[in-house]
Amino acid sequence: MAASACATSAIAAVAFSSPSSSSTKTSFFGSRKFRGGGRSATRSSSRSAAVCAAADPERPIWFPGSTPPAWLDGSLPGDFGFDPLGLGSDPDSLKWNQQAEIVHCRWAMLGAAGIFIPEFLTKIGILNTPSWYSAGEQEYFTDTTTLFIIELFFIGWAEGRRWADIIKPGSVNTDPIFPNNKLTGTDVGYPGGLWFDPLGWGSGSPEKVKEIRTKEIKNGRLAMLAVIGAWFQHIYTGTGPIDNLFAHLADPGHATIFAAFTPK
């Protein structure tokens, strides 16, 4: 739920890569403006072009042999040069999309765990939980409208503070209720501290930190695909992924994805 230290250089490089001698652009994150002088713009432009033309041969690219765009120079965690629509060509868009992906990745990992783990534990008899697909139909301590308002309030509060940190990094590092509790992270999206990095994995050399953050992005992207897959799976089979897995293991010749599209 959110930019690495390396991201700053990538975003700045794109921000001043205009070929004109002087440029002014309104920032996506407020009324502040990016201003680039002629010399800075020329230097950054040539740097970006060099990155695009001479990418690190050891750098993994999503399609071998392809040339990554200038704004994806490999400095961001999980950057494999994939942006066919140019959604990150604008520096503000790049910054926003990076934060959006981090949040989606983290929610997807929580969602995938919430789908697979309870379903598996229910399948083997340890828990007795409803299917994730029909969990919204269950009776809870209050009605669904009240639950929605409660969730809207708490999630809105958390997202508001995250947005404030994007606008002004570090502005929400102090706990509003317990002032002695402070976050240690300095990068937007990576708050650190006891609550968000209890094992201290987010500290160390830049290479180590980038490796950990890249692993998070990779796992998050896989989780997003897994959640979408579980949703489609339930639509076409009427059961969850764990039930489908057990059915396939019991009869691998017939219980396959093709059975869902075979007329009965």
Coordinates of all heavy atoms in Angstrom, one line a residue, residues 126-195:
I126 N -9.1 -27.6 8.5 CA -8.6 -26.8 9.6 C -9.5 -25.7 9.9 O -9.8 -25.3 11.0 CB -7.1 -26.4 9.3 CG1 -6.2 -27.6 9.3 CG2 -6.7 -25.4 10.4 CD1 -4.8 -27.2 9.0
L127 N -10.0 -25.0 8.8 CA -10.9 -23.9 8.9 C -12.2 -24.2 8.3 O -12.4 -25.3 7.6 CB -10.3 -22.6 8.3 CG -9.1 -22.0 8.9 CD1 -8.7 -20.8 8.0 CD2 -9.3 -21.6 10.3
N128 N -13.2 -23.4 8.6 CA -14.5 -23.5 7.9 C -15.0 -22.1 7.5 O -15.8 -21.5 8.1 CB -15.5 -24.2 8.9 CG -16.9 -24.4 8.2 OD1 -17.0 -24.5 7.0 ND2 -17.9 -24.4 9.0
T129 N -14.4 -21.7 6.4 CA -14.7 -20.3 5.9 C -15.4 -20.4 4.6 O -15.3 -21.3 3.9 CB -13.3 -19.5 5.7 OG1 -12.6 -20.2 4.7 CG2 -12.5 -19.4 7.0
P130 N -16.2 -19.3 4.4 CA -17.0 -19.3 3.1 C -16.0 -19.0 1.9 O -14.9 -18.6 2.1 CB -17.9 -18.1 3.3 CG -17.3 -17.2 4.3 CD -16.6 -18.1 5.2
S131 N -16.5 -19.3 0.8 CA -15.7 -19.1 -0.4 C -15.4 -17.6 -0.5 O -16.3 -16.7 -0.3 CB -16.4 -19.6 -1.7 OG -15.8 -19.1 -2.9
W132 N -14.2 -17.2 -1.0 CA -13.9 -15.8 -1.1 C -14.8 -15.1 -2.2 O -15.1 -14.0 -2.1 CB -12.5 -15.6 -1.6 CG -12.2 -16.2 -3.0 CD1 -11.9 -17.5 -3.3 CD2 -12.3 -15.6 -4.2 NE1 -11.8 -17.7 -4.6 CE2 -12.1 -16.5 -5.3 CE3 -12.6 -14.2 -4.6 CZ2 -12.1 -16.2 -6.6 CZ3 -12.6 -13.9 -6.0 CH2 -12.3 -14.9 -7.0
Y133 N -15.3 -15.9 -3.1 CA -16.2 -15.4 -4.2 C -17.5 -15.0 -3.6 O -18.1 -14.1 -4.1 CB -16.3 -16.4 -5.3 CG -16.8 -15.9 -6.6 CD1 -16.0 -15.3 -7.5 CD2 -18.2 -16.0 -6.9 CE1 -16.5 -14.8 -8.7 CE2 -18.7 -15.5 -8.1 CZ -17.8 -14.9 -9.0 OH -18.3 -14.4 -10.1
S134 N -18.0 -15.7 -2.6 CA -19.3 -15.4 -2.1 C -19.3 -14.8 -0.7 O -20.3 -14.7 0.0 CB -20.2 -16.7 -2.0 OG -19.5 -17.7 -1.2
A135 N -18.1 -14.4 -0.2 CA -17.9 -13.8 1.1 C -18.8 -12.6 1.4 O -19.3 -12.4 2.5 CB -16.5 -13.5 1.4
G136 N -19.0 -11.8 0.3 CA -19.8 -10.6 0.5 C -21.3 -10.9 0.7 O -22.0 -10.0 1.1
E137 N -21.7 -12.1 0.5 CA -23.1 -12.5 0.7 C -23.4 -12.9 2.1 O -24.6 -13.1 2.5 CB -23.5 -13.6 -0.3 CG -23.3 -13.3 -1.7 CD -23.5 -14.4 -2.7 OE1 -23.8 -15.6 -2.1 OE2 -23.4 -14.3 -3.9
Q138 N -22.3 -13.1 2.9 CA -22.5 -13.6 4.3 C -23.1 -12.5 5.2 O -23.0 -11.3 4.9 CB -21.2 -14.1 4.8 CG -20.5 -15.1 3.9 CD -21.3 -16.3 3.7 OE1 -21.8 -16.9 4.7 NE2 -21.5 -16.8 2.5
E139 N -23.6 -13.0 6.4 CA -24.1 -12.0 7.4 C -23.0 -11.7 8.3 O -22.3 -12.6 8.9 CB -25.2 -12.7 8.1 CG -26.5 -12.9 7.3 CD -27.2 -11.6 6.9 OE1 -27.0 -10.6 7.7 OE2 -27.9 -11.6 5.9
Y140 N -22.8 -10.4 8.5 CA -21.7 -9.9 9.4 C -22.3 -9.2 10.6 O -23.5 -9.2 10.8 CB -20.7 -9.1 8.7 CG -19.9 -9.9 7.6 CD1 -20.4 -9.9 6.3 CD2 -18.9 -10.7 8.0 CE1 -19.7 -10.6 5.3 CE2 -18.2 -11.4 7.0 CZ -18.6 -11.4 5.7 OH -18.0 -12.1 4.7
F141 N -21.5 -8.5 11.4 CA -22.0 -7.8 12.6 C -22.9 -6.6 12.3 O -23.6 -6.1 13.2 CB -20.8 -7.4 13.5 CG -20.0 -6.3 12.9 CD1 -20.3 -4.9 13.1 CD2 -18.9 -6.6 12.1 CE1 -19.5 -4.0 12.5 CE2 -18.1 -5.6 11.5 CZ -18.4 -4.3 11.7
T142 N -22.9 -6.2 11.0 CA -23.7 -5.1 10.6 C -24.1 -5.2 9.1 O -23.6 -6.1 8.5 CB -23.1 -3.7 10.9 OG1 -24.0 -2.7 10.6 CG2 -21.8 -3.5 10.1
D143 N -24.9 -4.3 8.6 CA -25.3 -4.4 7.2 C -24.1 -4.0 6.3 O -23.2 -3.3 6.7 CB -26.5 -3.6 7.0 CG -26.3 -2.1 7.3 OD1 -26.4 -1.8 8.5 OD2 -26.0 -1.4 6.4
T144 N -24.3 -4.3 5.0 CA -23.2 -4.0 4.1 C -23.0 -2.5 3.8 O -21.9 -2.1 3.6 CB -23.5 -4.7 2.7 OG1 -24.8 -4.3 2.3 CG2 -23.5 -6.2 2.8
T145 N -24.0 -1.7 3.9 CA -23.9 -0.3 3.8 C -23.0 0.3 4.9 O -22.1 1.1 4.6 CB -25.2 0.4 3.8 OG1 -26.1 -0.1 2.7 CG2 -25.1 1.9 3.6
T146 N -23.2 -0.1 6.1 CA -22.4 0.3 7.2 C -21.0 -0.1 7.1 O -20.0 0.6 7.3 CB -23.0 -0.2 8.6 OG1 -24.3 0.3 8.7 CG2 -22.2 0.4 9.7
L147 N -20.8 -1.4 6.6 CA -19.4 -1.9 6.4 C -18.7 -1.1 5.3 O -17.5 -0.8 5.5 CB -19.5 -3.4 6.0 CG -19.8 -4.4 7.1 CD1 -19.9 -5.8 6.4 CD2 -18.7 -4.4 8.1
F148 N -19.4 -0.7 4.3 CA -18.8 0.1 3.2 C -18.4 1.4 3.7 O -17.3 1.9 3.4 CB -19.8 0.2 2.1 CG -19.4 1.2 1.0 CD1 -18.4 0.8 0.1 CD2 -19.9 2.4 0.9 CE1 -18.0 1.6 -0.9 CE2 -19.5 3.3 -0.1 CZ -18.5 2.9 -1.0
I149 N -19.2 2.1 4.6 CA -18.9 3.4 5.1 C -17.7 3.3 6.0 O -16.8 4.2 6.0 CB -20.1 4.0 5.8 CG1 -21.3 4.3 4.8 CG2 -19.7 5.3 6.6 CD1 -22.5 4.7 5.5
I150 N -17.6 2.3 6.8 CA -16.5 2.1 7.7 C -15.2 1.9 6.9 O -14.2 2.5 7.2 CB -16.7 0.9 8.6 CG1 -17.9 1.2 9.6 CG2 -15.4 0.5 9.4 CD1 -18.3 0.0 10.5
E151 N -15.3 1.0 5.9 CA -14.1 0.8 5.1 C -13.7 2.1 4.3 O -12.5 2.4 4.2 CB -14.4 -0.3 4.1 CG -14.5 -1.7 4.7 CD -14.8 -2.8 3.7 OE1 -14.9 -2.4 2.5 OE2 -15.1 -3.9 4.1
L152 N -14.7 2.8 3.8 CA -14.4 4.0 3.1 C -13.7 5.0 4.0 O -12.7 5.7 3.6 CB -15.7 4.6 2.6 CG -15.6 5.8 1.6 CD1 -14.9 5.4 0.3 CD2 -17.0 6.4 1.3
F153 N -14.1 5.1 5.2 CA -13.5 6.1 6.2 C -12.0 5.7 6.4 O -11.1 6.5 6.3 CB -14.2 6.1 7.5 CG -13.6 6.9 8.6 CD1 -13.7 8.3 8.6 CD2 -12.9 6.3 9.6 CE1 -13.1 9.1 9.5 CE2 -12.2 7.1 10.6 CZ -12.3 8.5 10.5
F154 N -11.8 4.5 6.8 CA -10.4 4.1 7.2 C -9.5 4.0 6.0 O -8.3 4.5 6.1 CB -10.4 2.7 7.9 CG -10.9 2.8 9.3 CD1 -12.2 2.3 9.7 CD2 -10.1 3.4 10.3 CE1 -12.6 2.4 11.0 CE2 -10.6 3.4 11.7 CZ -11.8 3.0 12.0
I155 N -9.9 3.5 4.9 CA -9.1 3.4 3.7 C -8.8 4.8 3.2 O -7.7 5.2 2.7 CB -9.7 2.5 2.7 CG1 -9.7 1.0 3.1 CG2 -8.9 2.6 1.3 CD1 -10.3 0.1 2.2
G156 N -9.9 5.7 3.2 CA -9.7 7.0 2.8 C -8.7 7.8 3.6 O -7.9 8.6 3.1
W157 N -8.7 7.5 4.9 CA -7.7 8.2 5.8 C -6.3 7.7 5.5 O -5.4 8.6 5.3 CB -8.1 7.8 7.3 CG -7.1 8.4 8.3 CD1 -7.0 9.7 8.7 CD2 -6.0 7.7 8.9 NE1 -6.0 9.8 9.6 CE2 -5.3 8.7 9.7 CE3 -5.5 6.4 8.8 CZ2 -4.2 8.3 10.5 CZ3 -4.4 6.1 9.5 CH2 -3.8 7.0 10.4
A158 N -6.1 6.4 5.3 CA -4.8 5.9 4.9 C -4.3 6.4 3.6 O -3.2 6.8 3.4 CB -4.8 4.4 5.0
E159 N -5.3 6.4 2.6 CA -4.9 6.9 1.3 C -4.6 8.4 1.3 O -3.7 8.8 0.5 CB -6.0 6.5 0.3 CG -6.0 5.0 -0.1 CD -4.8 4.6 -0.8 OE1 -4.6 5.0 -2.0 OE2 -4.0 3.9 -0.2
G160 N -5.3 9.1 2.1 CA -5.1 10.5 2.2 C -3.7 10.8 2.7 O -3.0 11.7 2.2
R161 N -3.2 10.1 3.7 CA -1.9 10.2 4.2 C -0.8 9.8 3.2 O 0.3 10.4 3.1 CB -1.7 9.5 5.5 CG -2.5 10.1 6.7 CD -2.3 9.3 8.0 NE -0.9 9.3 8.5 CZ -0.4 10.3 9.1 NH1 -1.0 11.4 9.4 NH2 0.9 10.2 9.6
R162 N -1.1 8.7 2.4 CA -0.2 8.3 1.4 C -0.1 9.4 0.3 O 1.0 9.6 -0.2 CB -0.7 7.0 0.8 CG 0.3 6.3 -0.1 CD -0.2 5.0 -0.6 NE -1.3 5.1 -1.5 CZ -1.2 5.3 -2.8 NH1 0.0 5.4 -3.4 NH2 -2.3 5.3 -3.5
W163 N -1.2 10.0 0.0 CA -1.1 11.1 -1.0 C -0.3 12.3 -0.5 O 0.4 12.9 -1.3 CB -2.6 11.5 -1.4 CG -2.7 12.6 -2.3 CD1 -3.0 13.9 -2.0 CD2 -2.4 12.6 -3.7 NE1 -3.0 14.7 -3.1 CE2 -2.6 13.9 -4.2 CE3 -1.9 11.7 -4.6 CZ2 -2.4 14.3 -5.5 CZ3 -1.7 12.0 -6.0 CH2 -2.0 13.3 -6.4
A164 N -0.5 12.6 0.8 CA 0.2 13.7 1.4 C 1.7 13.4 1.3 O 2.5 14.3 1.1 CB -0.2 13.9 2.8
D165 N 2.1 12.1 1.5 CA 3.5 11.8 1.4 C 4.1 11.9 0.0 O 5.2 12.2 -0.2 CB 3.7 10.3 1.9 CG 5.2 10.0 2.1 OD1 5.9 10.8 2.8 OD2 5.7 9.0 1.6
I166 N 3.2 11.6 -1.0 CA 3.6 11.8 -2.4 C 3.9 13.3 -2.7 O 4.8 13.7 -3.3 CB 2.6 11.2 -3.4 CG1 2.5 9.7 -3.2 CG2 2.9 11.6 -4.8 CD1 1.5 9.0 -4.1
I167 N 2.9 14.1 -2.2 CA 3.0 15.5 -2.4 C 4.3 16.1 -1.7 O 5.0 16.9 -2.3 CB 1.8 16.3 -1.9 CG1 0.5 15.8 -2.7 CG2 1.9 17.8 -2.1 CD1 0.5 16.1 -4.2
K168 N 4.4 15.7 -0.5 CA 5.6 16.2 0.3 C 6.2 15.1 1.1 O 5.8 14.7 2.2 CB 5.1 17.3 1.3 CG 6.2 18.0 2.0 CD 5.7 19.1 3.0 CE 6.8 19.8 3.7 NZ 6.2 20.8 4.7
P169 N 7.2 14.4 0.5 CA 7.8 13.2 1.1 C 8.2 13.5 2.5 O 8.9 14.5 2.8 CB 9.0 12.9 0.2 CG 8.6 13.5 -1.1 CD 7.8 14.7 -0.8
G170 N 7.9 12.6 3.4 CA 8.3 12.7 4.8 C 7.3 13.5 5.7 O 7.5 13.5 6.9
S171 N 6.3 14.1 5.1 CA 5.4 14.9 5.9 C 4.5 14.2 6.8 O 3.9 14.7 7.7 CB 4.5 15.8 4.9 OG 3.7 15.0 4.1
V172 N 4.4 12.9 6.6 CA 3.5 12.1 7.5 C 4.3 11.0 8.2 O 3.7 9.9 8.6 CB 2.3 11.4 6.7 CG1 1.4 12.5 6.1 CG2 2.8 10.6 5.5
N173 N 5.5 11.2 8.4 CA 6.4 10.1 9.0 C 6.1 10.0 10.5 O 6.5 9.1 11.2 CB 7.9 10.4 8.8 CG 8.3 9.9 7.4 OD1 7.5 9.5 6.6 ND2 9.6 10.0 7.1
T174 N 5.5 11.0 11.1 CA 5.3 11.0 12.6 C 3.8 10.6 12.8 O 2.9 11.1 12.2 CB 5.5 12.4 13.2 OG1 6.8 12.8 12.9 CG2 5.3 12.4 14.7
D175 N 3.7 9.6 13.7 CA 2.3 9.1 14.1 C 1.5 10.3 14.7 O 1.9 10.9 15.6 CB 2.5 8.0 15.1 CG 1.2 7.2 15.3 OD1 0.1 7.9 15.5 OD2 1.2 6.0 15.3
P176 N 0.3 10.5 14.2 CA -0.5 11.6 14.7 C -1.0 11.4 16.1 O -1.4 12.4 16.8 CB -1.7 11.7 13.7 CG -1.8 10.3 13.1 CD -0.4 9.8 13.1
I177 N -1.1 10.1 16.6 CA -1.6 9.8 17.9 C -0.4 9.6 18.9 O -0.5 10.1 20.0 CB -2.5 8.6 17.9 CG1 -3.7 8.9 16.9 CG2 -3.0 8.3 19.3 CD1 -4.6 7.7 16.7
F178 N 0.6 8.9 18.4 CA 1.7 8.6 19.3 C 3.0 9.3 18.6 O 3.7 8.6 17.8 CB 2.0 7.1 19.4 CG 0.8 6.4 20.0 CD1 -0.1 5.7 19.1 CD2 0.5 6.4 21.3 CE1 -1.2 5.0 19.6 CE2 -0.6 5.8 21.9 CZ -1.5 5.1 21.0
P179 N 3.3 10.5 18.9 CA 4.4 11.3 18.3 C 5.7 10.6 18.4 O 6.6 10.9 17.5 CB 4.3 12.6 19.0 CG 3.0 12.7 19.6 CD 2.6 11.3 20.0
N180 N 5.9 9.7 19.3 CA 7.2 9.1 19.5 C 7.5 8.0 18.4 O 8.6 7.6 18.2 CB 7.4 8.5 20.9 CG 7.5 9.6 21.9 OD1 8.0 10.7 21.7 ND2 7.0 9.3 23.2
N181 N 6.4 7.6 17.8 CA 6.5 6.6 16.7 C 6.7 7.3 15.4 O 5.9 8.0 14.9 CB 5.2 5.7 16.7 CG 5.0 4.9 17.9 OD1 6.0 4.6 18.6 ND2 3.8 4.5 18.2
K182 N 7.9 7.1 14.8 CA 8.2 7.7 13.6 C 8.7 6.7 12.6 O 9.4 5.7 12.9 CB 9.3 8.8 13.8 CG 8.9 9.9 14.7 CD 10.0 11.0 14.8 CE 9.5 12.1 15.7 NZ 10.6 13.2 15.8
L183 N 8.3 6.9 11.3 CA 8.8 6.1 10.2 C 10.2 6.4 9.8 O 10.6 7.6 9.9 CB 7.9 6.2 9.0 CG 6.4 5.8 9.3 CD1 5.6 6.1 8.0 CD2 6.3 4.4 9.7
T184 N 11.0 5.5 9.4 CA 12.4 5.7 9.1 C 12.7 5.8 7.6 O 13.7 6.3 7.2 CB 13.2 4.6 9.7 OG1 12.8 3.3 9.1 CG2 13.1 4.5 11.2
G185 N 11.7 5.4 6.8 CA 11.9 5.5 5.3 C 12.0 6.9 4.8 O 11.3 7.8 5.3
T186 N 12.8 7.1 3.8 CA 12.9 8.4 3.1 C 12.4 8.4 1.7 O 12.3 9.4 1.1 CB 14.4 8.9 3.1 OG1 15.2 7.9 2.5 CG2 14.9 9.0 4.6
D187 N 12.1 7.2 1.2 CA 11.6 7.1 -0.2 C 10.1 6.9 -0.2 O 9.5 6.2 0.6 CB 12.2 5.9 -0.9 CG 13.7 6.0 -1.0 OD1 14.2 7.2 -1.0 OD2 14.4 5.0 -1.2
V188 N 9.4 7.6 -1.1 CA 8.0 7.6 -1.2 C 7.6 6.1 -1.5 O 8.1 5.5 -2.5 CB 7.4 8.5 -2.3 CG1 5.9 8.4 -2.4 CG2 7.8 10.0 -1.9
G189 N 6.6 5.6 -0.8 CA 6.2 4.2 -1.0 C 6.9 3.2 -0.2 O 6.5 2.0 -0.1
Y190 N 7.9 3.6 0.5 CA 8.7 2.7 1.3 C 8.9 3.3 2.7 O 10.0 3.8 3.0 CB 10.0 2.3 0.7 CG 9.9 1.7 -0.7 CD1 9.9 2.5 -1.8 CD2 9.7 0.3 -0.8 CE1 9.8 1.9 -3.1 CE2 9.6 -0.2 -2.1 CZ 9.6 0.6 -3.2 OH 9.5 0.0 -4.5
P191 N 7.9 3.3 3.5 CA 7.9 4.0 4.8 C 8.9 3.4 5.8 O 9.4 4.2 6.7 CB 6.5 3.9 5.3 CG 5.9 2.7 4.7 CD 6.6 2.6 3.3
G192 N 9.2 2.1 5.8 CA 10.1 1.6 6.7 C 9.6 1.6 8.2 O 8.4 1.7 8.4
G193 N 10.5 1.5 9.1 CA 10.0 1.5 10.5 C 9.6 0.1 11.0 O 9.5 -0.9 10.3
L194 N 9.2 0.1 12.3 CA 8.8 -1.2 12.9 C 7.5 -1.8 12.2 O 7.4 -3.0 12.0 CB 8.5 -1.0 14.4 CG 8.0 -2.2 15.2 CD1 9.1 -3.3 15.2 CD2 7.7 -1.8 16.6
W195 N 6.6 -1.0 11.8 CA 5.3 -1.5 11.3 C 5.5 -2.0 9.8 O 4.8 -2.9 9.4 CB 4.2 -0.4 11.4 CG 3.8 -0.1 12.7 CD1 4.1 1.0 13.5 CD2 3.0 -1.0 13.6 NE1 3.5 0.9 14.7 CE2 2.8 -0.3 14.8 CE3 2.4 -2.2 13.4 CZ2 2.1 -0.8 15.9 CZ3 1.6 -2.7 14.5 CH2 1.5 -2.0 15.7

